[in-house]
């Protein structure tokens, strides 16, 4: 019995010491409590890290403990309050949903990050530890069923939260961009409620290319996210032909002492942007970046600004909201009218507007954010919060949220609020599956209620990855393999009226799930541009487009978007704008006068249908008739002395060959074919050689005849018809041999010439062997020169019917024509080369006909009395 009493006393003393130790542990020194929190109890708690405000303080000296933050130092970002309402509204909807979590309730606990790493870590540890005391890894008195944490708005805040949560494997759902991780930080457990950022970058690039904005400015935040944008996105833009007029980085403002440096930087960036020719500026930053850009209007009004403000087309990413701080209440925002922004795709949620509309400080139990928000948003104070006299307007609590400017608060849900709302539903659906009867977990069911004896937060990840449902707005919510929500972006146009009212108009879509080539759509007519652009869509190029007919020449030392427009060289074209080089047309085409179109060449040949062809054909036929008339005259008067005096057979042969020469000219007119190409040069060469041979035979016969009259001359045996016929036959056979060799080795053939005349494709006869062609001409020239020489020597022989004088003149005409033919032929192009040859044939043949036969025809026809033997003897004497 004594032993039992002793043991009981020992047990009581031990229990008292344990209880005392527990009390001591629960009274561990607690850091400064945060100024704001919003708590609602439930079976499962969803933590929230909001971005409601921030403090501008002096830098820490580390020599003394910094004072606690006070409400007077707080700078509220009024628009961030909607994010808190979105979380509370989603929890309210889920708790009222009869099927989603029927036996359980959701609660939440929201802290503010104050845009500070220290306070973000503190808030995260408070969510993990206890609702009252800050003791890491120890839950004192109150059971904390923390299921997941939603936050934060900016990637840096999200990274601070994730750094702690990955130790406990608690799910984190971010509604801003994904944290930038490095080699030292990996394995973070977070789910991104915004679509993959690369889709947004593709959308921006598609927008720039759609409007052909190739000369743009870039402004990014000077942090890891901004550097990632510069390193990955700018090269992608450059490959697509986008150049950058400037790249500016905005430094983050941490302490009040940095304010002056920030203003100095603002002046510089302002002058750079407003002084640039680039009318388009892409803004990539954090949620608070618009606060910085609101300074642009303010800075432009300062006297020392060197560049006046002008409109720009601002292209903003989803993270940037149209927001401002309370001291910017009366600053104009018309500069941003016409901004094109990318926004997470969403539809209006039923009931949210009504929920927000009824919000006021008197009906918000547990909301520790609303009073500071209310006071700064409405520029008033609550009397019970001020000791002594109240300065300024008194808050009644009946002010209407819809009366606030859009830069402070919007009644319609924003993209970030929509993501928060979806995040709460994602957790609720995961819990629904996890708590369903089909899921059995050791020790998780207790009296029909889900009860974790030892919270196993990591188990929720399995269900989060496979979540897929339609939210209350009708949009499907699910994650891809990277933990990013599967969704797209809307392209919206900011409309800011003169009274500072603000609304967004959807003008396009970036849908990654759309078929290839249809991911990006834009409605140009739905966009409202800034009035500075006179309602036309703005241009943003370093150099205006080079019109067709010109090509781009990049300026040395300048980006490739800056260039000169130079006219295409002769023979080349450019048929599109901004071509880097001109190109030649195909052989069957030629450039037009403006050098921007290839025109099909006209198939051309020397034909009977054109004036020159008609004229030459007419002359050929006329000369043929004249020659035929002369031949007929000679045949009719063949027994007269003047016909007999000069070898009638040679005369007939010469006239016949001249007849054929005139007809031969017709072979050169008309579309060439294989037969005409083979015949015309060879026939011309042989017939002309016969004619010239006849003239040579006549000349030699006259000379030999006078030489034979001398006493004792041996030339008498050579005088006669045989010699003349031999001369004609032998000289003609030589030319025939040359032509035969020509046809056997490299005969003429039909061909097309696409280069001699720009506008035409010449159908011609290719001579085959140029050497043989000029050999034929050369031989005729040789015969003509011999005839001219002999005739010239015999021109003064005393004979009334001596033809030497006429032959001399005819050969002079013949040689002159063909000597001028060669250079003229070589300098002529196209079908007119044929005309030159036809003219030479007709002119030389006509020269022989007129010079030799016109005197004889004159006597035969007009002076027949002179055509007798007596007159011949008298004249001879």
């Amino acid at each position: 019995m004594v032993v039992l009493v002793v043991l009981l006393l020992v047990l009581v003393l031990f229990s008292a010491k344990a209880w005392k130790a527990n009390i001591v542990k629960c009274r561990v020194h607690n850091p400064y409590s945060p100024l704001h929190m919003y708590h609602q109890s439930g079976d499962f708690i969803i933590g929230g890290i909001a971005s409601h405000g921030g403090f501008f303080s002096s830098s820490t000296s580390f020599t003394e403990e910094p004072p606690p933050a006070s409400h007077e130092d707080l700078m509220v970002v009024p628009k961030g309050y909607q994010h808190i309402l979105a979380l509370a509204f989603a929890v309210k909807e889920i708790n009222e949903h009869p099927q989603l979590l029927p036996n359980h309730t959701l609660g939440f606990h929201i802290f503010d990050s104050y845009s500070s790493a220290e306070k973000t870590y503190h808030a995260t540890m408070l969510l993990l530890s206890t609702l009252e005391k800050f003791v890491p890894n120890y839950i004192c008195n109150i059971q904390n069923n923390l299921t997941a944490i939603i936050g934060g708005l900016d990637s840096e805040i999200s990274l601070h939260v994730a750094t702690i949560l990955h130790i406990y494997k608690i799910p984190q759902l971010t509604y801003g961009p994904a944290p930038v991780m490095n080699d030292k930080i990996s394995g973070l457990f977070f789910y991104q409620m915004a679509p993959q950022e690369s889709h947004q970058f593709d959308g921006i690039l598609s927008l720039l290319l759609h409007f052909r904005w190739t000369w743009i400015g870039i402004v990014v935040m000077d942090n890891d996210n901004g550097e990632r944008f510069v390193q990955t996105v700018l090269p992608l833009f450059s490959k697509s032909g986008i150049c950058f007029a400037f790249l500016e980085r905005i430094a983050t403002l941490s302490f009040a002492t940095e304010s002056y440096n920030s203003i100095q930087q603002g002046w510089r960036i302002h002058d750079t942007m407003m002084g640039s020719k680039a009318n388009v500026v892409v803004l990539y930053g954090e949620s608070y970046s618009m606060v910085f850009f609101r300074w642009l209007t303010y800075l432009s009004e300062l006297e020392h600004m060197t560049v006046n403000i002008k409109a720009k087309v601002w292209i903003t990413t989803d993270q940037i909201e149209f927001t401002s701080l309370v001291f910017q209440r009366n600053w104009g925002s018309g500069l941003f009218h016409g901004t094109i922004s990318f926004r997470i795709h969403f539809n209006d949620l039923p009931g949210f507007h009504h929920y927000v509309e009824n919000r006021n400080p008197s009906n918000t139990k547990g909301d520790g954010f609303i009073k500071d928000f209310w006071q700064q948003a409405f520029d008033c104070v609550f009397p019970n919060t001020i000791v002594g006299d109240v300065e300024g307007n008194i808050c009644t609590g009946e002010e209407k949220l819809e009366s606030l400017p859009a830069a402070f608060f919007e009644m319609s849900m924003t993209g970030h609020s929509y993501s928060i709302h979806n995040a709460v539903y994602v957790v609720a659906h995961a819990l629904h599956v996890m708590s369903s009867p089909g899921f059995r977990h050791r020790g998780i069911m207790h009296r029909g209620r889900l009860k974790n004896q030892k919270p196993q937060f990591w188990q929720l990840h399995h269900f989060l990855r496979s979540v897929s449902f339609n939210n209350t707005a009708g949009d499907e919510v699910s994650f891809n393999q990277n933990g990013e929500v599967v969704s797209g972006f809307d392209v919206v146009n900011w409309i800011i009226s003169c009274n500072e009212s603000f609304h967004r108009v959807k003008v396009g879509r970036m849908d990654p799930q759309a078929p290839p080539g249809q991911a990006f759509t834009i409605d140009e007519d739905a966009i409202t541009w800034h009035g500075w652009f006179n309602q036309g869509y703005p241009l943003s190029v370093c150099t205006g487009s080079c019109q067709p007919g010109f090509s781009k020449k990049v300026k040395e030392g300048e980006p490739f978007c800056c260039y000169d427009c130079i006219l295409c060289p002769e023979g080349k074209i450019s048929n599109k704008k901004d071509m880097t080089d001109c190109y030649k047309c195909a052989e069957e085409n030629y450039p037009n006068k403006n050098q921007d179109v290839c025109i099909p060449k006209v198939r051309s040949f020397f034909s009977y249908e054109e004036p020159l062809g008609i004229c030459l054909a007419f002359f050929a036929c006329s000369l043929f008739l004249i020659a035929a008339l002369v031949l007929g005259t000679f045949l009719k008067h063949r027994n007269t002395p003047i016909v007999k005096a000069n070898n009638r057979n040679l005369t007939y042969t010469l006239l016949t060959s001249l007849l054929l020469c005139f007809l031969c000219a017709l072979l050169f007119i008309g579309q060439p074919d294989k037969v005409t190409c083979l015949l015309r040069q060879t026939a011309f060469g042989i017939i002309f050689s016969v004619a010239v041979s006849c003239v040579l035979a006549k000349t030699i016969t006259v000379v030999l005849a006078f030489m034979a009259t001398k006493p004792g001359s041996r030339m008498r045996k050579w005088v006669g018809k045989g010699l003349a016929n031999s001369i004609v036959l032998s000289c003609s056979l030589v030319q025939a041999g040359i032509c035969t060799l020509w046809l056997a080795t490299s005969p003429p053939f039909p061909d097309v010439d696409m280069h001699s005349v720009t506008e035409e494709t010449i159908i011609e006869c290719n001579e085959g062997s140029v050497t043989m062609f000029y050999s034929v001409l050369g031989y005729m020239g040789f015969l003509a020169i011999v005839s001219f020489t002999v005739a010239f020597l015999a021109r003064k022989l005393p004979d009334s019917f001596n033809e030497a004088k006429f032959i001399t003149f005819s050969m002079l005409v013949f040689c002159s024509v063909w000597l001028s033919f060669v250079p003229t032929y070589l300098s002529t192009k196209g079908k007119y080369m044929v005309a030159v040859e036809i003219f030479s044939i007709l002119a030389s043949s006509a020269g022989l006909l007129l010079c030799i036969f016109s005197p004889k025809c004159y006597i035969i026809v007009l002076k027949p009395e002179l055509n007798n033997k007596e007159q011949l003897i008298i004249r001879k004497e």
Side-chain angles (χ1 to χ4, degrees):
M1 186 66 179
V2 175
V3 175
L4 183 60
V5 171
V6 171
L7 290 175
L8 183 59
L9 290 174
V10 171
L11 181 60
V12 170
L13 290 173
F14 179 79
S15 299
K17 287 182 180 180
W19 176 82
K20 184 175 181 181
N22 190 49
I23 295 299
V24 171
K25 288 180 181 179
C26 285
R27 291 180 179 177
V28 173
H29 175 69
N30 185 34
Y32 300 124
S33 299
L35 293 179
H36 308 91
M37 67 177 180
Y38 190 2
H39 171 64
Q40 179 178 307
S41 60
D43 295 330
F44 299 104
I45 299 297
I46 295 179
I49 302 296
S51 294
H52 178 244
F55 298 95
F56 287 106
S57 60
S58 300
S59 57
T60 305
S61 63
F62 297 100
T63 58
E64 59 182 3
E65 184 178 0
S70 65
H71 290 274
E72 288 76 14
D73 298 328
L74 177 67
M75 183 70 68
V76 170
V77 182
K79 211 156 195 175
Y81 183 63
Q82 193 193 89
H83 305 160
I84 299 170
L85 297 183
L87 195 154
F89 175 69
V91 170
K92 174 179 176 292
E93 282 188 321
I94 292 169
N95 288 335
E96 294 173 353
H97 197 289
Q99 285 85 32
L100 191 53
L101 289 175
N103 298 321
H104 311 284
T105 59
L106 277 184
F108 58 82
H109 201 175
I110 305 174
F111 288 106
D112 196 351
S113 68
Y114 298 110
S115 300
S116 163
E118 174 193 359
K119 292 179 172 56
T120 301
Y121 283 125
H122 184 197
T124 306
M125 294 302 298
L126 284 175
L127 291 172
L128 291 170
S129 301
T130 176
L131 302 182
E132 293 184 352
K133 298 294 182 180
F134 177 64
V135 183
N137 299 324
Y138 182 76
I139 299 175
C140 181
N141 297 330
I142 299 177
Q143 182 69 38
N144 183 8
N145 294 324
L146 182 66
T147 305
I149 290 181
I150 298 175
L153 175 58
D154 297 318
S155 60
E156 188 175 1
I157 299 301
S158 298
L159 181 60
H160 297 328
V161 176
T163 303
I164 296 177
L165 291 187
H166 90 284
I167 300 173
Y168 302 93
K169 298 182 176 60
I170 296 178
Q172 176 188 1
L173 294 89
T174 67
Y175 56 96
V180 180
M181 294 180 288
N182 51 43
D183 296 337
K184 297 180 181 179
I185 304 174
S186 60
L188 302 185
F189 295 94
F190 62 85
Y191 300 85
Q192 190 175 338
M193 298 308 301
Q196 188 175 350
E197 207 170 27
S198 61
H199 300 322
Q200 186 174 197
F201 300 153
D202 292 339
I204 295 175
L205 177 59
S206 298
L207 178 68
L208 296 174
L209 295 178
H210 177 83
F211 287 107
R212 296 184 292 277
W213 292 330
T214 58
W215 186 241
I216 67 171
I218 300 288
V219 180
V220 300
M221 298 301 296
D222 193 7
N223 56 18
D224 290 341
N225 260 349
E227 191 59 31
R228 180 178 62 174
F229 181 88
V230 171
Q231 296 298 326
T232 60
V233 177
L234 267 62
L236 176 66
F237 285 14
S238 295
K239 289 180 181 179
S240 299
I242 308 297
C243 297
F244 308 102
F246 56 85
L247 170 61
E248 294 292 344
R249 292 177 170 86
I250 304 173
T252 55
L253 185 60
S254 302
F255 304 106
T257 53
E258 298 174 352
S259 299
Y260 179 75
N261 293 335
S262 179
I263 293 175
Q264 292 281 61
Q265 184 193 39
W267 290 337
R268 180 182 59 79
I269 294 177
H270 170 276
D271 286 349
T272 299
M273 287 195 294
M274 297 306 166
S276 172
K277 290 172 54 180
N279 287 326
V280 175
V281 181
V282 176
L283 308 179
Y284 179 80
E286 308 296 350
S287 59
Y288 53 83
S289 299
M290 187 53 66
V291 171
F292 178 88
F293 293 110
R294 292 292 300 277
W295 282 84
L296 293 177
T297 307
Y298 177 77
L299 292 174
S300 296
E301 298 173 357
L302 301 180
E303 294 181 357
H304 66 277
M305 296 306 294
T306 57
V307 180
N308 293 327
I309 196 166
K310 60 182 180 180
K312 299 288 183 182
V313 177
W314 309 96
I315 300 176
T316 68
T317 54
D318 170 69
Q319 185 66 1
I320 298 177
E321 284 280 3
F322 180 66
T323 187
S324 64
L325 298 176
V326 292
F327 67 84
Q328 298 172 317
R329 180 187 307 272
N330 298 320
W331 292 8
S333 53
L335 176 67
F336 302 102
H337 175 61
T339 294
I340 298 177
S341 176
F342 283 78
R343 179 190 68 180
I344 297 172
H345 170 71
F346 70 89
N347 293 312
D348 290 332
L349 294 171
F352 182 73
H353 188 280
H354 179 73
Y355 178 79
V356 173
E357 190 176 34
N358 295 327
R359 197 78 175 179
N360 63 62
S362 62
N363 62 5
T364 53
K365 181 181 178 181
D367 187 350
F369 293 89
I370 191 169
K371 282 194 174 182
D372 279 325
F373 158 75
W374 206 271
Q375 290 181 132
Q376 296 201 27
F378 289 103
D379 192 22
C380 63
V381 293
F382 288 100
N384 59 348
T385 60
I386 304 295
V387 179
D389 295 333
V390 175
E391 296 182 2
N393 301 323
I394 300 297
C395 294
T396 65
E398 299 301 323
E399 291 83 3
K400 299 298 182 181
L401 290 175
E402 57 262 33
S403 66
L404 291 174
F408 279 4
F409 194 84
E410 291 184 61
M411 299 298 291
S412 59
M413 182 169 277
T414 64
H416 290 134
S417 297
Y418 185 76
S419 296
I420 294 171
H421 182 274
N422 282 341
V424 178
Y425 268 88
V426 166
V427 175
H429 277 272
L431 287 172
H432 173 76
V433 178
M434 188 174 178
S435 61
S436 63
F439 177 75
R440 297 179 179 179
H441 185 273
R442 184 176 51 185
I444 204 168
M445 300 300 295
H446 180 67
R447 295 181 182 178
R449 295 176 65 85
L450 189 63
K451 198 75 174 180
N452 280 323
Q453 300 299 326
K454 291 183 179 180
Q456 302 293 324
F457 301 112
W458 57 268
Q459 293 179 338
L460 192 60
H461 288 284
H462 171 75
F463 302 97
L464 288 173
R465 294 189 189 101
S466 58
V467 160
S468 180
F469 62 93
N470 289 335
N471 63 15
T472 55
D475 290 332
E476 183 179 355
V477 179
S478 61
F479 294 105
N480 60 19
Q481 66 274 15
N482 298 322
E484 300 161 333
V485 73
V486 178
S487 182
F489 292 92
D490 291 333
V491 183
V492 297
N493 187 207
W494 291 5
I495 309 299
I496 302 175
S497 305
C498 298
N499 61 358
E500 295 299 313
S501 63
F502 170 85
H503 67 280
R504 300 178 179 89
V505 176
K506 181 178 176 181
V507 296
R509 180 79 190 274
M510 182 63 194
D511 185 5
Q513 283 74 48
Q518 302 178 23
F520 179 79
T521 56
I522 191 75
D523 182 2
E524 295 183 21
D525 298 332
I527 300 177
T528 300
W529 305 107
H530 195 284
W532 194 80
F533 297 111
N534 296 322
Q535 296 306 315
Y537 86 81
L539 299 176
S540 189
V541 294
C542 181
T543 304
S545 295
C546 289
Q547 298 300 315
F550 293 82
S551 63
K552 297 193 299 186
K553 181 181 180 181
V554 178
K555 296 180 180 178
E556 187 174 355
E558 296 286 340
F560 61 85
C561 292
C562 302
Y563 47 80
D564 293 320
C565 296
I566 58 174
L567 186 66
C568 288
E570 186 177 356
K572 292 187 176 183
I573 71 158
S574 62
N575 57 358
K576 296 179 182 178
K577 289 185 178 180
D578 297 329
M579 293 190 65
T580 56
D581 197 9
C582 302
Y583 65 92
K584 288 185 177 180
C585 294
E587 286 191 346
E588 63 272 12
N589 299 322
Y590 71 96
N592 65 342
K593 183 178 180 181
N594 296 327
Q595 294 181 265
D596 56 359
V597 174
C598 286
I599 302 175
K601 291 183 177 181
V602 178
R603 293 174 66 87
S604 176
F605 54 88
F606 195 70
S607 69
Y608 292 101
E609 298 176 357
E610 53 188 295
L612 185 57
I614 294 173
C615 292
L616 291 177
F618 173 76
F619 285 130
C621 294
S622 299
L623 291 172
F624 172 81
L625 293 176
I626 293 172
L629 185 60
V630 172
L631 178 59
T633 302
F634 271 65
L635 288 173
K636 183 178 180 181
H637 301 86
R638 60 182 177 278
N639 295 319
T640 60
I642 199 168
V643 175
K644 291 181 178 181
N646 296 106
N647 196 331
R648 284 181 300 185
N649 292 333
L650 281 180
T651 300
Y652 298 153
T653 303
L654 176 58
L655 285 173
T656 302
S657 63
L658 289 177
L659 280 172
L660 295 176
C661 282
F662 294 134
L663 291 178
C664 181
L666 298 178
L667 290 174
F668 290 83
I669 304 176
Q671 183 172 351
D673 55 29
K674 187 174 182 181
V675 175
T676 55
C677 287
L678 289 172
L679 287 179
R680 65 186 189 180
Q681 295 292 1
T682 54
F684 151 70
I686 294 173
I687 293 169
F688 236 102
S689 296
V690 171
V692 178
S693 299
C694 289
V695 173
L696 178 61
K698 274 179 168 289
T699 308
I700 293 176
T701 299
V702 170
V703 172
L704 290 177
F706 279 99
M707 293 178 66
T709 58
K710 294 180 180 180
S713 175
R714 297 179 180 179
M715 295 297 176
R716 290 183 179 182
K717 62 181 179 178
W718 295 103
V719 177
K721 296 180 180 180
L723 176 62
N725 294 334
S726 299
I727 293 174
V728 172
L729 184 61
S730 59
C731 291
S732 300
L733 286 176
V734 172
Q735 184 72 293
I738 296 173
C739 291
T740 302
L741 181 63
W742 184 6
L743 294 177
T745 56
S746 181
F749 59 90
D751 196 9
V752 290
D753 178 8
M754 296 185 176
H755 306 291
S756 297
V757 180
T758 304
E759 300 84 0
E760 298 177 352
T761 297
I762 306 299
I763 302 175
E764 62 179 8
C765 285
N766 189 310
E767 308 305 343
S769 174
V770 178
T771 303
M772 298 304 294
F773 172 67
Y774 285 106
S775 297
V776 170
L777 294 180
Y779 181 73
M780 286 191 302
F782 168 75
L783 292 179
I785 292 173
V786 172
S787 297
F788 172 76
T789 304
V790 175
F792 180 79
L793 295 175
R795 70 188 186 281
K796 294 182 179 181
L797 292 177
D799 188 1
S800 297
F801 297 99
N802 183 8
E803 294 179 303
K805 296 179 182 179
F806 306 121
I807 292 174
T808 301
F809 188 71
S810 66
M811 288 296 101
L812 181 62
V813 172
F814 183 92
C815 292
S816 299
V817 169
W818 287 103
L819 286 175
S820 62
F821 162 78
V822 175
T824 305
Y825 183 83
L826 295 176
S827 61
T828 307
K829 295 181 179 179
K831 61 186 179 181
Y832 296 105
M833 296 176 68
V834 179
V836 169
E837 189 168 359
I838 294 174
F839 176 80
S840 299
I841 293 172
L842 294 178
S844 57
S845 300
L848 290 176
L849 179 64
L850 295 176
C851 293
I852 296 176
F853 295 100
S854 59
K856 297 180 181 181
C857 290
Y858 174 77
I859 293 174
I860 293 172
V861 176
L862 298 179
K863 297 290 184 178
E865 65 276 9
L866 299 178
N867 189 12
N868 55 66
K869 193 173 183 180
E870 291 76 11
Q871 290 294 328
L872 178 63
I873 296 172
I874 293 172
R875 294 184 64 186
K876 189 175 182 179
E877 291 176 355

